[in-house]
Amino acid sequence: MTTCSIVIPVYNRAALTTRCLDVLFSSSLDTASPEIVVVDDGSTDSTAQVLVDRADRVRVVRHEQNLGFARACNDGAAVATGEWLLFLNNDTLPQAGWLDTLLRYASSGERIGLVGSKLVFPNGTIQHAGIVFDRDLTPRHIYAGFRADHPAVSKSREFQVVTGACALIRRALFDEVGGFDADFVNGYEDMDLCLRLRRLGYGVHYCHESVVDHLESATRDHALDQQNHELFLERWAEVVRQDDVQYYLEDGLIDITYWEQFPALLWVSPHLAVVDRERANAAERLLAKRSQQVFDALKENTRLRIELLEAEERTRVTSEARGAEHLA
């Protein structure tokens, strides 16, 4: 049995498939020698010829019509022989060591279910370093646009979900969980799979040392995003949680300073949010000054109130003492 099978779903974009396969064929990439399975999901361009020309190195599954990402991946997995399955978009160019690193990371813990790579735009900035959810439970690629060497993306860790554009999972576990759900069409299949794995007690991880160049969505149709999102929320709204701010705090890109009363002072890294720094600093200084003024006024009010109460008490005691003397 092959150690790992790379499953690549493709639909047209023959040039991208050519580049991706040529990089995968490079002997300098990894020590692993993966089986490569390409699922031609009803392409109408020259993709078929590209695959014929490489038939000695690629297993091909052919769909007569376009069935979508989930079915393409599932059908590719069905003919794959590897103990591990690596799902890979054809608009990717893996860097040296990417697969060995993923396999090593995924093998390091029994309950690691799925591992995604660091995906980098051609300009050297982050496309994928894990996926977070905002207040509306909309998934967001965390730190998209950050430098690929920024400390926040240079740590491997667990997320609720990661992208399926480059994701590694054990074959047995993929079968156990039922593969990708074809109710999702070209969107959210990967996140649904991640959450089903988590429901079974498996972790979903981002591995920063496995690096892949990615032309995000070069082959993706966004027309069904709303439909997929609604289905996702229908199934997972009670399970998934907002976690974006958790990572920003953990990575030191948001900081909260508490005065002795609210409002607190919120600092946000300019790498995370675009603000007018001069105006922001002035606003922070004004907020700090006003907050201190209010707190000082409150303290003065309290001090005066206590002094008044003490004065009233002294007056009462004095009056009672005089009354007692008078009675005596």
Side-chain angles (χ1 to χ4, degrees):
M1 176 179 286
T2 306
T3 299
C4 181
S5 296
I6 299 176
V7 177
I8 308 173
V10 305
Y11 175 61
N12 293 329
R13 305 285 182 164
L16 291 178
T17 301
T18 299
R19 290 200 335 167
C20 180
L21 291 176
D22 287 349
V23 169
L24 291 175
F25 295 154
S26 172
S27 60
S28 64
L29 268 183
D30 290 272
T31 58
S33 299
E35 172 187 56
I36 299 176
V37 178
V38 178
V39 182
D40 182 359
D41 195 26
S43 297
T44 56
D45 64 355
S46 60
T47 293
Q49 187 59 51
V50 168
L51 299 179
V52 167
D53 292 343
R54 293 161 177 76
D56 60 330
R57 307 189 69 175
V58 176
R59 298 189 66 181
V60 178
V61 176
R62 169 73 183 175
H63 288 167
E64 293 305 316
Q65 60 183 358
N66 184 252
L67 300 178
F69 178 84
R71 291 185 181 180
C73 287
N74 290 343
D75 288 350
V79 304
T81 62
E83 176 187 358
W84 294 88
L85 297 173
L86 188 287
F87 296 99
L88 185 69
N89 282 12
N90 69 333
D91 56 356
T92 58
L93 298 174
Q95 296 186 15
W98 71 293
L99 183 55
D100 286 342
T101 300
L102 274 183
L103 287 167
R104 186 164 53 249
Y105 186 97
S107 301
S108 65
E110 292 183 2
R111 305 306 293 182
I112 295 179
L114 184 142
V115 183
S117 297
K118 175 190 287 187
L119 303 185
V120 181
F121 285 126
N123 67 354
T125 62
I126 288 294
Q127 185 269 313
H128 172 266
I131 295 175
V132 295
F133 291 89
D134 64 17
R135 183 175 58 181
D136 297 326
L137 299 185
T138 299
R140 308 287 183 183
H141 284 285
I142 194 170
Y143 303 134
F146 271 45
R147 298 189 327 272
D149 61 352
H150 191 281
V153 301
S154 300
K155 57 176 80 171
S156 299
R157 52 184 167 178
E158 189 169 359
F159 285 87
Q160 292 183 89
V161 301
V162 296
T163 184
C166 179
L168 181 70
I169 184 174
R170 288 185 186 274
R171 168 61 180 271
L173 183 56
F174 184 75
D175 291 342
E176 178 185 347
V177 79
F180 290 104
D181 190 337
D183 286 347
F184 295 94
V185 182
N186 298 331
Y188 287 80
E189 303 97 330
D190 45 5
M191 289 178 280
D192 174 77
L193 175 64
C194 288
L195 292 173
R196 283 187 282 126
L197 288 169
R198 287 174 57 84
R199 187 167 59 190
L200 294 177
Y202 292 93
V204 173
H205 292 251
Y206 157 70
C207 177
H208 79 280
E209 294 178 306
S210 173
V211 183
V212 175
D213 294 330
H214 188 209
L215 302 172
E216 182 194 22
S217 301
T219 59
R220 181 180 168 189
D221 181 0
H222 292 270
L224 297 175
D225 278 2
Q226 183 61 35
Q227 175 182 318
N228 287 321
H229 183 58
E230 290 174 357
L231 176 59
F232 178 80
L233 291 180
E234 178 183 325
R235 294 188 178 181
W236 297 108
E238 299 301 318
V239 175
V240 73
R241 70 184 190 283
Q242 179 185 4
D243 61 353
D244 52 353
V245 177
Q246 163 195 330
Y247 288 96
Y248 303 147
L249 287 167
E250 177 182 316
D251 297 334
L253 296 174
I254 291 179
D255 187 47
I256 302 175
T257 300
Y258 290 94
W259 308 102
E260 295 183 74
Q261 68 168 36
F262 285 96
L265 176 61
L266 175 66
W267 174 84
V268 182
S269 167
H271 294 291
L272 186 64
V274 178
V275 294
D276 183 326
R277 292 294 294 169
E278 292 184 0
R279 291 180 59 189
N281 288 339
E284 290 171 359
R285 288 194 297 271
L286 179 60
L287 178 61
K289 182 178 180 179
R290 292 288 173 83
S291 179
Q292 191 63 49
Q293 287 173 341
V294 170
F295 184 67
D296 288 344
L298 177 62
K299 288 197 297 183
E300 182 64 8
N301 248 348
T302 302
R303 184 183 66 80
L304 292 173
R305 182 176 178 80
I306 291 174
E307 288 183 355
L308 177 59
L309 291 174
E310 289 176 342
E312 290 176 347
E313 179 64 11
R314 286 196 297 269
T315 299
R316 184 188 66 81
V317 171
T318 300
S319 297
E320 288 181 351
R322 288 177 178 174
E325 291 176 355
H326 178 72
L327 290 176

